[in-house]
Structure formats: C-alpha cells, structure tokens
Amino acid sequence: METKKFQIVNAQSNIDWIGRKVTGAHNGTIGIKEGTLIFTDGKLSGGNFVIDTTSIKILDVTDPATNAQFAGHLASDDFFSIDKYPEATLQITGVSGKHVQGDLTIKGITHPVSFDVTVNTDHGDVVTAYGKLVIDRTKYGIKFRSGNFFKDLGDTLIYNDFDLQVTITAKAA
C-alpha cells in the first residue's frame, strides 16, 4: 500500500458559496487557508482543510457600501462570528468510491457531512478535487431569519441550506 500526501495550494483552491432567500440568492467566495489530501494506492483516502472565514466575499452585491454592510453582517454573531471563529475546518473521516464523509466544524460546532467528489490525478504530482456540499446553517447556530426559529418572516426568510462548491488543487508533499 502506497500512501501519498498532497499539500493544498491555497492560491489555486477556493470555495464558491450560494445562500438563498425567498426573494433570490447571494453568492461569493471564501478562501481555503491550508490543508492536505491523502491518497492510498492512487485513491483519495483522507485529508483535511482549514477554511479562512475572514476571507468571505460577496460577489453579487456591487454597491460598495451595501457590500461592506452585508459583509459586516456575515461576520457578525448573526452568521459566522468571525472575530471569535476565524476558521472553519473539514476533516475527511472516510471515502468510498466518489463518496466522502467528514466532520465539518463551523463556529466551534462539529457535525458529520457527506458529499460526492471528483478527483483528477492525471497530472503526476498535482491533483485537483471538486465537490459540492449542502450545509444546514442552523446546525451550526446560524439561525438568523430561519423559518425553523422565527415566525411571520414573509419575504425576509433566509433558507437554512447553503451550498459550498469546493475546488482544491494540491501538490505532492
């Protein structure tokens, strides 16, 4: 059994996020600070990565003042509490074919997640991996305008699930 470790190249790795509400959606990016992917006999078998919550950006709000206000709200305790929790983590706990299981920690709260991943190992010492996670924000204490916790929100309701489209490039360590 050959085990090979790959270091995530944070400048070539990112997460695109989409959050939806009754009246539409918002989208943006968030950076990956560091991490590793582990391959056993050429197949993904483990790894982890650290998400830099301080790097969250909103791409669909173009007015600078509105964007700054929204970013400040995402950084607040209503959402990610980034002063207290500047990082989130994903620890891969198991891989079966393309299906990955892991532990996602946001705001110091950890829950299991599972998702499918596509891995490209055709470039020798460089691998790329793509996966989409659908996360229920309320499991991590992010309850702002959730219909599960507040009544009569009407068109101000924010859906509980948000999407993370993860793109990782890693180089052999």
Side-chain angles (χ1 to χ4, degrees), residues 129-145:
Y130 310 93
K132 178 182 175 183
L133 289 79
V134 179
I135 307 300
D136 178 350
R137 65 189 176 95
T138 63
K139 289 182 175 181
Y140 301 92
I142 305 170
K143 300 175 182 177
F144 184 77
R145 291 192 184 156

Side-chain angles (χ1 to χ4, degrees), residues 79-171:
F79 287 94
F80 294 102
S81 306
I82 65 171
D83 285 343
K84 207 182 296 175
Y85 304 102
E87 298 176 345
T89 60
L90 177 71
Q91 176 71 45
I92 295 172
T93 58
V95 182
S96 177
K98 289 186 164 203
H99 195 70
V100 173
Q101 295 166 321
D103 289 330
L104 179 65
T105 303
I106 299 173
K107 291 177 72 169
I109 301 167
T110 303
H111 286 284
V113 295
S114 62
F115 54 97
D116 289 334
V117 67
T118 301
V119 178
N120 182 343
T121 57
D122 297 339
H123 305 294
D125 284 350
V126 177
V127 297
T128 53
Y130 310 93
K132 178 182 175 183
L133 289 79
V134 179
I135 307 300
D136 178 350
R137 65 189 176 95
T138 63
K139 289 182 175 181
Y140 301 92
I142 305 170
K143 300 175 182 177
F144 184 77
R145 291 192 184 156
S146 165
N148 290 6
F149 299 93
F150 301 97
K151 294 187 183 319
D152 303 320
L153 289 169
D155 65 3
T156 65
L157 178 122
I158 300 170
Y159 295 114
N160 293 336
D161 289 347
F162 65 94
D163 299 347
L164 298 176
Q165 183 67 48
V166 180
T167 303
I168 290 177
T169 297
K171 290 187 176 173

